[in-house]
Amino acid sequence: MDLASATLHLQNFPHFLCSPNLFSGKISIFRNKKIKIITRALKEWWEYEDAVKRKDLAGALRFLKSRETETNSDNKDNSAETMNGCSSTGFGISDLGLFEGSQRDWEVLDTCLNADDMRLVGSAYGFLKNRGLLPNFGKFTNIAYINQFTVLEGPRDVTPAVFKSSTGLEVSKFAPKKWGLSGGSRFAMIAFLGGASFLVSQGIEIRPNLAVILGLAFMDSIFLGGTCLAQISSYWPPFKRRILVHEAGHLLVAYLMGCPIRGVILDPIVMMQMGIQGQAGTQFWDEKLSNELADGRLSGTTFDRYCMVLFAGIAAETLVYGEAEGGENDENLFRSISVLLQPPLSVNQMSNQARWSVLQSYNLLKWQRHAHRAAVKALESGSSLSVVIRRIEEAMSSGV
């Protein structure tokens, strides 16, 4: 074949141009491109890791979205080369395996706690759900769907008798208790008073010291919301686990109802620093509730969902221990919102709404007991929010 014939042949069959034997120079170009991409990918990966450590949700989420866009672009380029008859020699960030199995994507949830913009938190959950990582997020947003499986069909009027027939427990079991009047705190109070009485009987004068202790406890309850006492109590294992059970209930119901969780705070000191009263807290965001309140209205469905999440901690404690101790702050928040409604709820209406919400949350947690147990175990081991959410997803997918 002469030179003219060979040139004509290549024009008629351009796919032969992809042969490395004809263009060996492309190999060195590809290597240089590969090195540049690897260097850039490593730099961006370290920037993402730094954003996660600094709790920079905006930076971490921006990186994940840009990476997804670049991955899609790489796939399109490779598809185009294949359609032109060339074997792909492209090399993208996705080929490095740094984000193999999307494990790094979960870490964006650990940056939510410091986020001031709750809509950005919602975007993080939406991004992961679109990636297929959070299939159960918002699974039970439709309360009517829950009704088919968790509560008795009929009117919303949940009397104490109906409540007991559904749960097998008296309504009083779901009422928060004052510290020292029930459960393990009662034994702690008895031990404290018994010890003080013994010392007095031995002629040891402790009344001045006791007066100081009681005075400090009173000031703690008035000015710090009981933070110091809560911090001391949190070191007692049974009390600490009860808190975990309570907060895991809030977290799971909020997650299943489609409310993005900003974080779970288990340290009373951190709670105080963030301006939140209580021994622990789960911060979640309901977009519909926020939008409706901004418009000066509140639909029944939105209020029901919010109340379910609010009373989920009480329901979780009762499910595990047979009665609730914590949840006084939850009840106070419920009352404060109920009186702001137009028209405000009456006392009887508030009681019925509370029973209905607790019943819903109780049966939902009972139905998803394995997921709640997984959340408690993850919180108990000190896992981050991303790990807790992941354990919930794994438990629900396996059903164990």
Side-chain angles (χ1 to χ4, degrees):
M1 180 182 294
D2 56 14
L3 181 59
S5 299
T7 303
L8 180 62
H9 182 74
L10 290 175
Q11 290 175 347
N12 292 332
F13 302 96
H15 58 276
F16 283 108
L17 293 173
C18 296
S19 172
N21 295 326
L22 296 175
F23 292 90
S24 58
K26 283 189 174 182
I27 297 178
S28 60
I29 296 176
F30 170 67
R31 287 176 178 172
N32 293 334
K33 179 181 178 182
K34 182 177 180 180
I35 293 174
K36 290 181 179 179
I37 292 178
I38 291 177
T39 303
R40 180 164 59 89
L42 288 173
K43 180 181 178 182
E44 292 178 350
W45 178 74
W46 283 114
E47 290 177 352
Y48 173 73
E49 288 292 295
D50 183 62
V52 171
K53 292 179 180 178
R54 291 185 290 105
K55 307 295 183 183
D56 180 9
L57 175 58
L61 190 59
R62 183 167 54 249
F63 168 80
L64 292 178
K65 289 182 177 180
S66 65
R67 184 175 62 84
E68 185 178 43
T69 301
E70 185 167 351
T71 300
N72 295 334
S73 177
D74 290 341
N75 293 336
K76 289 181 180 180
D77 293 342
N78 293 339
S79 299
E81 290 180 3
T82 303
M83 291 178 64
N84 289 332
C86 298
S87 60
S88 174
T89 57
F91 189 88
I93 293 178
S94 59
D95 298 318
L96 293 177
L98 294 176
F99 291 82
E100 194 69 30
S102 302
Q103 293 183 6
R104 297 290 183 182
D105 293 16
W106 290 87
E107 295 179 356
V108 71
L109 297 179
D110 298 330
T111 67
C112 292
L113 186 59
N114 288 2
D116 295 325
D117 186 358
M118 294 303 294
R119 295 186 183 277
L120 198 60
V121 176
S123 297
Y125 280 83
F127 173 82
L128 294 181
K129 185 173 179 62
N130 292 336
R131 292 290 306 276
L133 298 179
L134 307 180
N136 293 295
F137 176 65
K139 184 177 181 179
F140 301 110
T141 302
N142 187 354
I143 298 179
Y145 175 73
I146 304 176
N147 290 340
Q148 302 176 17
F149 301 95
T150 61
V151 297
L152 299 175
E153 295 184 0
R156 285 178 54 101
D157 188 16
V158 182
T159 63
V162 172
F163 191 92
K164 183 178 180 180
S165 66
S166 180
T167 63
L169 298 169
E170 297 287 348
V171 177
S172 58
K173 295 293 184 181
F174 292 80
K177 311 297 189 301
K178 293 293 184 180
W179 193 92
L181 299 180
S182 65
S185 62
R186 179 192 306 167
F187 298 107
M189 178 64 73
I190 293 174
F192 173 76
L193 295 177
S197 177
F198 174 77
L199 292 176
V200 171
S201 65
Q202 296 298 315
I204 301 176
E205 184 59 48
I206 64 169
R207 280 174 294 184
N209 297 331
L210 187 60
V212 172
I213 293 175
L214 293 177
L216 292 175
F218 177 77
M219 294 178 63
D220 173 49
S221 63
I222 296 298
F223 298 104
L224 300 178
T227 300
C228 294
L229 180 60
Q231 182 69 38
I232 297 172
S233 302
S234 64
Y235 292 105
W236 190 33
F239 185 77
K240 181 178 181 180
R241 180 169 176 79
R242 183 179 280 270
I243 292 176
L244 297 178
V245 169
H246 185 102
E247 297 307 325
H250 285 305
L251 187 152
L252 179 58
V253 173
Y255 182 76
L256 296 178
M257 299 296 288
C259 299
I261 296 98
R262 186 186 181 194
V264 179
I265 308 170
L266 301 174
D267 190 335
I269 301 298
V270 176
M271 290 276 292
M272 182 183 66
Q273 292 173 346
M274 297 182 68
I276 307 172
Q277 283 194 350
Q279 300 165 344
T282 299
Q283 294 188 319
F284 65 95
W285 180 61
D286 190 329
E287 183 177 8
K288 291 185 179 180
L289 178 69
S290 178
N291 293 337
E292 291 183 9
L293 289 178
D295 295 336
R297 60 186 179 86
L298 185 61
S299 63
T301 303
T302 302
F303 185 56
D304 287 342
R305 181 174 55 251
Y306 180 77
C307 290
M308 282 183 62
V309 179
L310 201 59
F311 285 110
I314 293 175
E317 278 194 61
T318 310
L319 179 64
V320 175
Y321 296 103
E323 67 174 346
E325 290 188 8
E328 186 176 0
N329 289 335
D330 300 331
E331 283 194 340
N332 293 337
L333 184 57
F334 167 72
R335 294 191 189 96
S336 64
I337 294 178
S338 297
V339 297
L340 293 177
L341 299 177
Q342 294 298 329
L345 297 182
S346 64
V347 175
N348 290 335
Q349 287 175 326
M350 282 193 289
S351 298
N352 184 72
Q353 177 68 36
R355 287 192 296 267
W356 183 89
S357 302
V358 172
L359 179 60
Q360 290 273 25
S361 297
Y362 179 85
N363 285 313
L364 180 58
L365 289 169
K366 186 177 181 179
W367 187 22
Q368 302 294 337
R369 190 192 294 262
H370 54 289
H372 179 256
R373 191 181 300 115
V376 172
K377 188 175 181 180
L379 290 173
E380 193 172 25
S381 63
S383 300
S384 62
L385 178 63
S386 63
V387 175
V388 177
I389 298 295
R390 193 165 187 172
R391 295 295 175 264
I392 290 175
E393 286 290 348
E394 292 172 353
M396 295 189 68
S397 62
S398 64
V400 179

